[in-house]
């Protein structure tokens, strides 16, 4: 059986394949609407040397540049403890901080991203992370013994947090349901076509046998001549 045979079988048994496809589309639509909406808020902060000392006296900046401070700050915020604090305090479902790649010589930036099931929660989580980023930066420099006048500082790069409305995994789920439904519909149509075809062939064979059984046999020569075989006479 090739693809043309499959197509013909599905066309002959459209009353099987079409309802199954309609049911598949209904399930896919329900799944599309059932996927919960996720609000993702993001903002970007930059990191610059101290405006007072210009970075002089800051061992971290002198050895690794402000990019090192940016990576340390992002790592502290994204640590299990830091992320959990933001999530537990605001009700956010997820939080992450990552350094944004910028051309050499430019101010390094940290992208703060929080996800939640409502817009206000996501925005408040990002706002809180900005405050915690400043605290984390100061903690890192204090632990390194850097004088406060040489502290690197955070600069607000983006204004109001950007809110994205997402439904993660929705298209994959819908595509999976439609694909599975299409396969089931085709298999059901082919199976039903084979079953009906075999049933018809079986009924036809039984009908032929009944017809042969009901057809009378032609009379023998003896019966035709009154019981005597031609060429023979009684003595």
């Amino acid at each position: 059986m090739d693809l043309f045979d499959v197509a013909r079988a599905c066309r002959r048994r459209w009353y099987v394949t079409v309802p199954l496809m309609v049911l598949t589309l209904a399930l896919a639509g329900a799944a599309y609407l059932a996927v919960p909406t996720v609000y993702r808020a993001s903002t970007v902060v930059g990191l610059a040397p101290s405006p007072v000392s210009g970075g002089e006296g800051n061992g971290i900046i002198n050895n690794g540049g402000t990019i090192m401070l940016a990576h340390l700050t992002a790592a502290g915020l994204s640590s299990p403890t830091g992320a959990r604090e933001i999530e537990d305090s605001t009700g956010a479902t997820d939080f992450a901080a990552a350094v944004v790649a910028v051309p050499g010589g430019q101010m390094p930036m940290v992208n703060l991203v929080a996800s939640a099931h409502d817009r206000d929660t996501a925005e408040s989580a990002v706002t809180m992370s900005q405050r915690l980023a400043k605290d984390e930066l100061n903690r890192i420099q204090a632990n390194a013994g850097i004088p406060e006048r040489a502290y690197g500082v955070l600069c607000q790069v983006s204004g109001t947090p950007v809110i994205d409305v997402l439904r993660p995994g929705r298209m994959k789920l819908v595509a999976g349901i439609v694909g599975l439904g299409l396969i089931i519909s085709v298999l059901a149509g082919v199976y039903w076509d084979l079953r009906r075809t075999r049933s018809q062939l079986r009924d036809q064979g039984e009908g032929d046998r009944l017809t042969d059984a009901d057809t009378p046999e032609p009379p023998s020569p003896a019966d035709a001549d009154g019981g005597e075989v031609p060429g023979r006479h009684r003595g």
Side-chain angles (χ1 to χ4, degrees), residues 13-179:
R13 310 306 171 189
W14 62 268
Y15 50 84
V16 175
T17 56
V18 171
L20 287 176
M21 281 305 304
V22 171
L23 178 61
T24 297
L25 294 177
L27 292 175
Y32 182 90
L33 297 175
V35 174
T37 302
V38 175
Y39 295 88
R40 185 177 65 187
S42 60
T43 190
V44 178
V45 294
L47 201 147
S50 170
V52 178
S53 66
E56 184 179 351
N58 191 315
I60 297 177
I61 294 178
N62 292 338
N63 293 320
T66 51
I67 187 66
M68 179 178 288
L69 268 181
H71 279 291
L72 292 173
T73 303
L77 288 174
S78 294
S79 66
T81 303
R84 191 181 306 111
E85 180 181 355
I86 295 173
E87 294 167 3
D88 293 344
S89 300
T90 62
T93 58
D94 184 60
F95 173 80
V99 177
V100 180
V102 295
Q106 294 190 16
M107 177 177 62
M109 293 178 287
V110 179
N111 189 32
L112 308 174
V113 182
S115 301
H117 293 304
D118 63 89
R119 183 184 300 268
D120 293 338
T121 300
E123 187 172 357
S124 65
V126 166
T127 302
M128 178 181 179
S129 70
Q130 290 176 300
R131 185 179 70 254
L132 292 180
K134 182 179 179 180
D135 295 341
E136 180 67 17
L137 176 61
N138 292 338
R139 184 190 66 80
I140 293 170
Q141 296 177 103
N143 290 341
I146 298 171
E148 190 171 346
R149 62 182 299 274
Y151 277 9
V153 295
L154 288 179
C155 306
Q156 185 68 40
V157 176
S158 59
T160 304
V162 178
I163 308 294
D164 296 319
V165 181
L166 308 172
R167 288 193 175 185
R170 179 176 60 179
M171 297 309 299
K172 288 184 179 180
L173 177 62
V174 171
I177 293 175
V178 172

